[in-house]
Structure formats: C-alpha cells, structure tokens
Amino acid sequence: MADPKGFLTTTREEPKRRPVDLRLMDWREVYEDFATTKLQKQAGRCMDCGIPFCHQGCPLGNLIPEWNTLTWREDWQQAIERLHATNNFPEFTGTLCPAPCETACVLGINDDPVTIKRVEISIIDRAFDEGWVTPQLPVALTGKKVAVVGSGPSGLAAAQQLTRAGHSVVVLERADKIGGLLRYGIPEFKMEKSRLDRRLDQMRAEGTEFRASVNVGVDLPVSELLGYDAVVLAGGATDWRDLPIPGRELAGIHQAMEFLPPANRVASGELEKSPFDASGLDVVVIGGGDTGADCVGTSHRQGARSVTQLEIMPKPPELRSDAHPWPTYPMIYRVSSAHEEGGERLYAVNTQEFLGDDSGRVRALKLVEVRNEGGKFVPVPGSERELPAQLVLLAMGFLGPQKQGLLEDLGVELDARGNVARDKAFKTSLDNVFVAGDMGRGQSLIVWAIAEGRSAAAGVDAYLTGRDVLPRPIAPTDRPLV
C-alpha cells in the first residue's frame, strides 16, 4: 500500500489545461506539466483494496495498485516494469482511454476516484525520458511468418507480442503511414504523434517489419496473404454510419473520418491546408461522442465561426444515476477539452433535412426536438427550427468492418452483428486467419483493442507452436461492466 491515509488526507487533483486562447494557436496536447510531488500524492490516494475493482474495469488487467504504490515510493523503474507487464502501449491508453478503471475505483463509491490515467502516462513518459524503454528481442526465432493487416492499437499489440515470441511479423497498412486511427483519426491535441513514432521505433528495433501503402486485396493479392503461416486481421470498424435524409447530397457534408485525417496531416506539416477547412464557417457536428468532440476541437483550431454539436439523446446527469451503479462506466455529463474551448452542445434533437443554397452547398439544418417514447424518438410538435451550417460533420459511430475487398475476398464468416466471427482462440472460419480489435468486436475503446491484440497473439502463437506462453487478458465474448 502507498500512503495509508492518502485517500483521507489528499483530494483528487489533475493537471491544468493550458489556457484556451493559447492552445487554440497550436496542435500540441492541452495539459500542462504535473509536478512529481503532486503525482506522488495522487498515487498515494490508492487504498490497495482487498478486491481492486479497477482490475475489473480494465480489460487489460492492469496492475494499478502495484504501480500506484511504486510511484508513491519513487521506484519508477519497477513501476514501468509492472505497467508494461500487462500493457504494450500505456502512452496510448494514458492519453486516449476514457478510463473505465477510474469509474470502477473503490474510492469512487463515496469520493473522487484515484487519478489512474495521470499516474499511468507519467510513468511511461519518465521511462522514455530515462531511456528505460528498450527493444525486447526474442530469445529464439520460430521460423514462422505472420502478417498483421492493420496498424491500429490492436494490430500493433498483436505484432509486438508475436515478434517478441520469435515469429517474423510484417504489419500491412493501407494508409501511407503506420498507426491507423492513432495516426490520422486522433487529433494531435489529444495525443502528439511523437508518442506513436517512438514506440514504432522500438518495434522496428525488435524486428517487426512495417509496410505502409499496402491495400490488401488491391496492392497485395489475398492469395499471397494466405501464404503466410498465420494472418491477423486488425483493420478496425471503418464502415461509418451515414445519415440518409433529404439534402444529404449537398456539398459541405462529410464524415468525421473524411474530415479528421487531412487535419492531422496539416498538424504534422504534411499538408498546408485541409480540403475540408472550417475557417470562417458555421460548423455542425452530428454525434455527441468522442469522435464528435475531436471534430469540435479541430474546427476550433481551424478558425470556425461557430461550432455546434448535436446529440439525439437527452443531456446526461451530472452524477451517477441508479441506471449506472458503481463500478460500471456511467453515462454522465462530461466536458472535454474541446467543449471547454467553445461552441454549443444541443441535446434531444434530430436532424430532419439538410437545406442548400443556389450553388448546391449546405447552408442550414432543419432540426426538431425529440422525446423518447417506448424506445423511439418522437418529434416534439412546434419545435422545428433551422440551424445555420456551411460545414456538417457526421460522427455517429461505425457499423462494423468494411466488407468490400479484403473480407469478401477472404470469404470469412461474419457474426450476427456483421463483425468477423471468431472462436475462443480468436481464429476465424479460415484455419490460419485470426481477427483482433474492432473488426471482430465492433466499435470499442482503445484499451479493449490492445487487450484484443494481446489475446489474439496468444491464439496465433499457440496455433503455430502448440505452446501456451503469451497472456490472454480477455476472451472474445468478454464485455465491459454493465
């Protein structure tokens, strides 16, 4: 245990965000530095519970009380060893995960939970700064060749585990740079790409091969893919949800994943200006989730005149409701850094129609307020109105993996939800083909993606060698606490 009285004497504290007017001038991460003395006190709030429910909240099974105690003791090298024992990429989860571990923290029953994410990212940042994150080379090579299709968090986790187990691994990515959504979907202000690049350097030094600009089924025949001893499908859930209402064909209406990648290229210096730039425009984001918030923050940095985010659900409560008891992840009202930067959030509204100008470009949305009646959203009479918009971004989630191309050419079976079906070892209907991440699970969190990649790697290694040495943090059927 860390400080035996820490949870009684220390209140929860997080690092401050940089002033809005300053951070809107750049694409850097929004948080200021957090003093080590403050961090130690926050780690000391951990009670080292008899039953640490943070373990249940985290699908990776992160050893949270252990590295909290080690941080409080300033034993940083042991802390990163314990952190890496269950998580290949704590810098990704420490910046991007919504922290279901914190909402499952026992202290959170009647107080503010431990700042687990802040401790996590601080440990890994110190480890990189001190040079403690070094390549972990395999003890012996197996002679087996594995192809991983997709370089998001699940694909990278599977690749790193399999490389360290002695297999020759190549990661195939259809984009022109490695990283999947980590590279082009997540804005720089949420996670600077230097975090991704330094981890890829470690993986290259370990022996993982990366091949970008390879669209399997187009640039690489599926028959050649099946020539590998094993294949891991980790292409994510990229079949975005559309909004087929009148006016959808108007110019200026784009999917979030059409809007965010070029904005990231501008932030990294690859592009001078995005073709979907929001400068001087009234921007409306349809969808109240994290991707929508990413669009909000990006629009602010591009100089939008106004930004409005729409959500069909009613505004959530400030505190846990009886419908989301501890230790489940509660639906509560949250203010992200993007929301703090300005704009308006409208709840319980539905878009009925896109309205255009004489040039065929969107000029406004026709909105109506809705109420939930028996599970259906019913328009409120007399609540219709127009909302100005010259740029509309659709951020309503994803329907599963893209079927055309790779999956159809492979002929793998799909489950009832349209995801790639797999057995308890993450193997698909094809003998040597496995699946990890959102492609098999459906749209989920980054921490689940990494857990999927680690578990699928264990299935692949067992298939290739007959041994049982790699960790399996989750089963394909596991789901978050509800």
Side-chain angles (χ1 to χ4, degrees), residues 93-160:
T93 51
T95 50
L96 303 176
C97 184
C101 55
E102 292 191 12
T103 57
C105 174
V106 173
L107 184 57
I109 295 175
N110 61 352
D111 200 349
D112 293 327
V114 176
T115 54
I116 298 171
K117 258 183 72 168
R118 177 48 45 184
V119 176
E120 178 182 31
I121 191 62
S122 299
I123 293 172
I124 184 59
D125 280 350
R126 179 178 286 257
F128 269 110
D129 290 343
E130 297 289 346
W132 298 332
V133 183
T134 57
Q136 296 184 28
L137 302 178
V139 176
L141 299 179
T142 65
K144 302 294 186 179
K145 296 182 178 180
V146 181
V148 177
V149 182
S151 64
S154 63
L156 293 180
Q160 186 168 64

Side-chain angles (χ1 to χ4, degrees), residues 5-170:
K5 295 183 179 180
F7 69 97
L8 296 173
T9 59
T10 304
T11 58
R12 178 182 170 102
E13 184 179 2
E14 296 187 85
K16 294 180 179 178
R17 293 169 178 164
R18 294 189 291 129
V20 170
D21 56 344
L22 292 180
R23 69 183 191 237
L24 289 183
M25 298 173 65
D26 60 47
W27 293 90
R28 291 171 42 225
E29 290 178 13
V30 302
Y31 288 101
E32 296 180 348
D33 291 336
F34 200 55
T36 300
T37 53
K38 291 185 177 181
L39 182 74
Q40 288 177 268
K41 288 185 177 181
Q42 291 304 305
R45 297 183 72 234
C46 180
M47 300 187 294
D48 195 9
C49 316
I51 301 178
F53 274 81
C54 54
H55 287 192
Q56 278 66 45
C58 176
L60 282 166
N62 281 339
L63 307 173
I64 295 164
E66 293 187 33
W67 39 261
N68 272 328
T69 296
L70 292 166
T71 298
W72 183 73
R73 294 176 179 170
E74 293 189 87
D75 193 345
W76 298 101
Q77 284 187 277
Q78 280 298 307
I80 189 56
E81 188 279 329
R82 291 285 78 197
L83 185 50
H84 270 150
T86 57
N87 188 352
N88 297 70
F89 313 123
E91 63 273 30
F92 302 163
T93 51
T95 50
L96 303 176
C97 184
C101 55
E102 292 191 12
T103 57
C105 174
V106 173
L107 184 57
I109 295 175
N110 61 352
D111 200 349
D112 293 327
V114 176
T115 54
I116 298 171
K117 258 183 72 168
R118 177 48 45 184
V119 176
E120 178 182 31
I121 191 62
S122 299
I123 293 172
I124 184 59
D125 280 350
R126 179 178 286 257
F128 269 110
D129 290 343
E130 297 289 346
W132 298 332
V133 183
T134 57
Q136 296 184 28
L137 302 178
V139 176
L141 299 179
T142 65
K144 302 294 186 179
K145 296 182 178 180
V146 181
V148 177
V149 182
S151 64
S154 63
L156 293 180
Q160 186 168 64
Q161 292 293 94
L162 290 168
T163 297
R164 291 174 174 178
H167 307 298
S168 297
V169 180
V170 58

Side-chain angles (χ1 to χ4, degrees), residues 163-355:
T163 297
R164 291 174 174 178
H167 307 298
S168 297
V169 180
V170 58
V171 178
L172 307 172
E173 169 58 54
R174 65 181 177 182
D176 58 353
K177 284 191 176 182
I178 299 298
L181 287 182
L182 295 170
R183 174 72 65 184
Y184 291 128
I186 301 296
E188 192 89 357
F189 59 81
K190 285 182 68 174
M191 190 190 80
E192 294 178 14
K193 300 307 174 278
S194 58
R195 298 187 185 277
L196 171 61
D197 291 333
R198 68 188 183 186
R199 184 62 76 173
L200 294 178
D201 288 342
Q202 181 204 30
M203 293 181 65
R204 289 188 183 96
E206 292 172 344
T208 301
E209 178 187 353
F210 294 105
R211 293 175 58 189
S213 300
V214 178
N215 191 349
V216 180
V218 178
D219 306 307
L220 181 76
V222 167
S223 58
E224 187 174 334
L225 180 72
L226 293 175
Y228 285 84
D229 295 300
V231 176
V232 180
L233 304 177
T238 56
D239 186 10
W240 52 55
R241 190 186 305 276
D242 211 329
L243 187 58
I245 60 174
R248 174 61 180 89
E249 75 284 353
L250 293 168
I253 304 171
H254 304 282
Q255 289 284 346
M257 285 304 141
E258 295 174 311
F259 172 73
L260 292 172
N264 271 327
R265 291 181 184 274
V266 171
S268 65
E270 296 177 44
L271 280 180
E272 185 174 343
K273 186 174 182 180
S274 169
F276 312 116
D277 194 271
S279 177
L281 303 180
D282 298 305
V283 179
V284 173
V285 180
I286 302 179
D290 287 342
T291 302
D294 293 344
C295 292
V296 170
T298 299
S299 298
H300 287 318
R301 282 160 180 77
Q302 290 181 345
R305 178 166 54 197
S306 69
V307 183
T308 307
Q309 187 174 15
L310 310 182
E311 171 58 59
I312 196 169
M313 299 293 290
K315 182 178 179 179
E318 300 279 348
L319 302 173
R320 280 186 187 272
S321 68
D322 292 339
H324 301 97
W326 176 89
T328 63
Y329 191 81
M331 295 296 293
I332 59 174
Y333 181 72
R334 293 178 171 88
V335 179
S336 72
S337 65
H339 298 134
E340 184 183 63
E341 291 161 1
E344 187 177 6
R345 302 163 77 179
L346 302 180
Y347 291 91
V349 294
N350 192 22
T351 305
Q352 295 181 310
E353 184 179 359
F354 297 115
L355 306 175

Side-chain angles (χ1 to χ4, degrees), residues 441-470:
R441 173 171 293 272
Q443 183 181 359
S444 189
L445 304 178
I446 187 170
V447 69
W448 281 92
I450 297 173
E452 287 252 342
R454 288 172 66 88
S455 297
V460 172
D461 185 65
Y463 167 80
L464 294 175
T465 67
R467 63 191 179 188
D468 184 15
V469 295
L470 292 181

